[in-house]
């Protein structure tokens, strides 16, 4: 971890510095807030800032936001200075560490504030295959494109590749091409010289320079303007950049990973993405399937998040009961793993009994509307409709309609549908083969439309 300590180095902050170094942190110091900002602008990045509570933390946090530095701040000070601690937290500090420093407390706070998920929780064979490919290409210098829907874990997979690479001990720098306004993104990527444009009050090193020696993640690259794509292509090919307002090129040594939740080949065909940049990025593509296409991961992830948020919120750990599992398996997960994580976090807080039951699971559709419980949802409505039209129909006809409707509800996922129906995947496939031979329309994997029978 790269720790930036801001404040005077004497006394107790000096002791905190020694503890951090003993715990393996790479520590840099800045005497004042202005010194800290100058260091960040110069490319001396950090994963966490620990700031003397006597300094103007509110000004620091405001400046970090204005200049798009994503740096969590922890305040520190003598434990009797309660009013200053309150002000720091209200200003945006993540935590407060009382001084004199306690080694175990510092380690716990640093871990909580800078925690990044390092393990990819999975059971599905599709993810196993992706991780094998990631392991194979990680040691290379190849540019990698990670694709998948929003919330599937593209950044997590990019970090996995970095951690398996020869650059693992060097910086992993991310920039969101969608979150930063178009007129500022060039400066964020390549940096700028003082006076290059209105508001450029000092030289600023961009993400390319900050990532030198390590990996640069270009998140949601499909959102980048075409004009800037041309400059990005040159930077990746030539391994050199030009700061905005600069007069000479600057060499950089980076490995580029890009992510996109869009089909870049289609974006190229539509004229919204440069073909040459697409081929330059697409040396190796890692595509993460949506959560609904890997149902065996749903319960594994849910159990992981249940343990995690029980610990975070100080509540007893609870297992998922069968009703909760069925609710989770019956949902389409438009928000993927991110949506599942939020769902389980809510469930941990709402659960009342010794287990997390179906009543604690709150689900939403793609429009943000709360999904009805199973008894009143799509499958329940199907059952009610079927019961009202049983007379004159054979059991085989009713079974066929139920199976095809359930498969359509599961977006064509056979494993998911078999779980809901309570039959084996082999039985389901045999029945689908018979239905198709009789001329019925069988939903293909990923198909969300109602099955026509």
């Amino acid at each position: 971890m790269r720790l930036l300590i801001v404040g005077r180095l004497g006394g107790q902050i000096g002791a905190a510095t020694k503890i951090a170094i003993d715990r393996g942190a790479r520590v840099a110091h800045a005497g004042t807030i202005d010194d800290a900002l100058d260091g960040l602008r110069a490319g001396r990045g950090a994963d966490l800032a620990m700031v003397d509570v006597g300094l103007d933390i509110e000004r620091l946090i405001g400046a970090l936001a204005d200049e798009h530095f994503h740096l969590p701040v922890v305040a520190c000070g003598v434990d009797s200075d309660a009013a200053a601690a309150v002000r720091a937290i209200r200003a945006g500090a993540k935590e407060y560490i009382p001084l004199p420093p306690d080694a175990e407390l510092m380690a716990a706070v640093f871990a909580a504030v800078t925690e990044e998920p390092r393990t990819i929780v999975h059971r599905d064979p599709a993810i196993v295959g992706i991780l094998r490919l990631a392991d194979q290409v990680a040691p290379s210098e190849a540019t990698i494109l990670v694709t998948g829907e929003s919330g599937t874990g593209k950044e997590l997979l990019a970090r996995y590749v970095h951690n398996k690479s020869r650059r693992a001990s060097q910086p992993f720098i991310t920039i969101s091409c969608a979150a930063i306004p178009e007129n500022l993104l060039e400066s964020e990527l390549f940096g700028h010289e003082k006076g290059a444009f209105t508001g450029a009050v000092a030289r600023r090193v961009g993400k390319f320079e900050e990532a030198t020696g390590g990996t640069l993640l270009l998140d949601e690259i499909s959102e980048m303007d075409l004009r800037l794509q041309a400059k990005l292509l040159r930077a990746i090919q030539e391994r050199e950049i030009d700061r905005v307002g600069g007069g000479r090129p600057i060499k950089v040594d980076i490995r580029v990973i890009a992510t996109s939740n869009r089909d870049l080949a289609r974006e190229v065909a539509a004229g919204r993405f440069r073909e040459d940049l697409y081929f330059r990025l697409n040396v190796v593509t890692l595509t993460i399937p949506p959560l609904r296409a890997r149902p065996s991961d749903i319960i594994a992830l849910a159990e992981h998040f249940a343990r995690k948020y029980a610990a975070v919120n100080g509540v007893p750990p609870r297992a998922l009961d069968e009703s909760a599992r069925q609710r989770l398996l019956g949902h389409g997960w438009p928000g993927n793993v991110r949506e599942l994580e939020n769902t389980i976090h809510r469930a941990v807080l709402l659960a009342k009994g010794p287990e997390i039951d179906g009543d604690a699971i709150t689900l939403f559709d793609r429009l943000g509307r709360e999904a009805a419980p199973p008894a009143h949802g799509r499958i329940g409505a199907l059952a009610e409709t079927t019961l009202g039209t049983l007379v004159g129909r054979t059991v085989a006809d009713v079974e066929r309609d139920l199976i095809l409707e359930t498969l359509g509800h599961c977006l064509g996922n056979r494993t998911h549908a078999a779980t809901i129906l309570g039959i084996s995947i082999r039985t389901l496939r045999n029945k689908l083969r018979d239905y198709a031979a009789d001329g019925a329309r069988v939903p293909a994997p990923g198909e969300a439309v109602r099955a026509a029978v």
Side-chain angles (χ1 to χ4, degrees):
M1 182 185 70
R2 300 172 299 165
L3 176 64
L4 173 62
I5 295 182
V6 186
R8 295 183 178 180
L9 300 184
Q12 293 164 357
I13 291 185
T17 301
K18 184 178 185 305
I19 290 173
I21 292 174
D22 290 343
R23 293 279 172 149
R26 289 182 289 171
V27 179
H29 296 103
T32 67
I33 286 173
D34 288 332
D35 290 341
L37 292 171
D38 287 344
L40 293 170
R41 292 176 187 130
R44 296 190 290 275
D47 301 308
L48 176 70
M50 189 170 77
V51 185
D52 186 339
V53 76
L55 299 177
D56 191 346
I57 290 179
E58 184 173 11
R59 182 169 78 86
L60 171 63
I61 291 175
L64 292 174
D66 290 342
E67 299 191 40
H68 301 285
F69 289 116
H70 302 290
L71 178 65
V73 172
V74 169
C76 63
V78 293
D79 53 10
S80 60
D81 199 353
V86 171
R87 286 196 301 272
I89 296 297
R90 286 178 175 171
K94 300 294 185 183
E95 293 285 352
Y96 177 80
I97 297 177
L99 300 176
D102 175 83
E104 295 305 319
L105 175 62
M106 281 183 61
V109 169
F110 290 172
V113 171
T114 63
E115 180 184 12
E116 297 283 356
R118 296 291 185 232
T119 303
I120 299 179
V121 177
H122 66 284
R123 286 182 189 160
D124 196 273
I127 300 299
V128 173
I130 291 169
L131 294 182
R132 283 185 186 142
L133 179 56
D135 289 339
Q136 184 177 346
V137 301
S140 73
E141 291 297 300
T143 301
I144 292 177
L145 179 62
V146 183
T147 63
E149 294 181 6
S150 294
T152 49
K154 296 187 292 296
E155 181 175 343
L156 182 57
L157 183 58
R159 286 183 180 275
Y160 178 90
V161 171
H162 171 74
N163 291 336
K164 294 279 187 174
S165 75
R166 291 176 291 192
R167 298 172 178 264
S169 63
Q170 299 302 314
F172 178 85
I173 304 299
T174 68
I175 183 167
S176 173
C177 301
I180 299 174
E182 180 184 320
N183 61 331
L184 295 178
L185 184 55
E186 181 176 3
S187 172
E188 289 295 311
L189 283 169
F190 306 118
H192 62 253
E193 298 291 345
K194 181 178 180 179
F197 51 84
T198 303
V201 296
R203 170 186 284 180
R204 166 75 183 273
V205 167
K207 298 299 184 183
F208 265 84
E209 287 180 82
E210 190 178 340
T212 290
T215 301
L216 176 63
L217 173 62
L218 302 171
D219 193 31
E220 302 302 353
I221 195 170
S222 55
E223 305 301 316
M224 184 180 291
D225 176 73
L226 280 167
R227 180 194 64 83
L228 190 52
Q229 288 177 25
K231 190 167 184 179
L232 174 63
L233 175 63
R234 176 181 174 274
I236 294 174
Q237 288 185 160
E238 305 299 330
R239 289 295 191 264
E240 66 178 28
I241 55 102
D242 296 297
R243 292 194 191 120
V244 178
R248 61 181 180 84
I250 299 167
K251 289 290 184 182
V252 291
D253 171 25
I254 61 169
R255 199 253 189 95
V256 171
I257 301 178
T259 74
S260 177
N261 61 6
R262 299 186 185 183
D263 184 334
L264 284 187
R266 291 185 179 180
E267 295 297 297
V268 169
R272 292 187 293 265
F273 200 83
R274 290 181 63 103
E275 184 177 40
D276 47 6
L277 178 57
Y278 170 63
F279 287 126
R280 188 65 186 82
L281 293 172
N282 194 29
V283 177
V284 176
T285 297
L286 302 174
T287 300
I288 307 178
L291 188 58
R292 60 184 173 274
R294 43 189 175 108
S296 54
D297 281 350
I298 293 174
I299 301 303
L301 286 162
E303 291 172 340
H304 167 74
F305 292 136
R307 291 190 297 268
K308 172 182 175 179
Y309 287 109
V312 167
N313 291 285
V315 300
R318 295 181 175 95
L320 298 163
D321 76 1
E322 187 58 28
S323 65
R325 289 168 180 264
Q326 290 304 316
R327 283 224 72 190
L328 296 174
L329 290 171
H331 187 54
W333 300 110
N336 291 292
V337 179
R338 186 182 297 120
E339 180 190 0
L340 175 62
E341 180 172 7
N342 292 338
T343 297
I344 298 302
H345 194 172
R346 277 194 305 272
V348 166
L349 300 175
L350 296 175
K352 297 176 181 177
E355 294 182 307
I356 297 174
D357 61 16
D359 291 338
I361 305 293
T362 306
L363 301 170
F364 299 90
D365 63 18
R366 290 183 180 273
L367 299 178
R369 300 171 301 196
E370 185 172 345
H376 304 291
R378 184 176 176 186
I379 299 301
L382 170 64
E384 293 172 9
T385 301
T386 304
L387 287 171
T389 57
L390 286 178
V391 177
R393 306 186 69 207
T394 66
V395 171
D397 286 342
V398 173
E399 180 187 66
R400 179 198 60 191
D401 290 354
L402 179 60
I403 288 175
L404 292 176
E405 281 284 351
T406 302
L407 186 62
H409 170 79
C410 297
L411 303 174
N413 187 288
R414 272 65 175 161
T415 304
H416 194 168
T419 300
I420 293 175
L421 291 164
I423 60 178
S424 71
I425 185 66
R426 182 177 180 179
T427 297
L428 176 62
R429 285 173 175 157
N430 288 339
K431 289 183 178 295
L432 293 178
R433 185 165 54 247
D434 292 341
Y435 299 154
D438 291 339
R441 182 183 176 191
V442 176
E447 191 172 9
V449 298
R450 180 186 177 96
V453 298

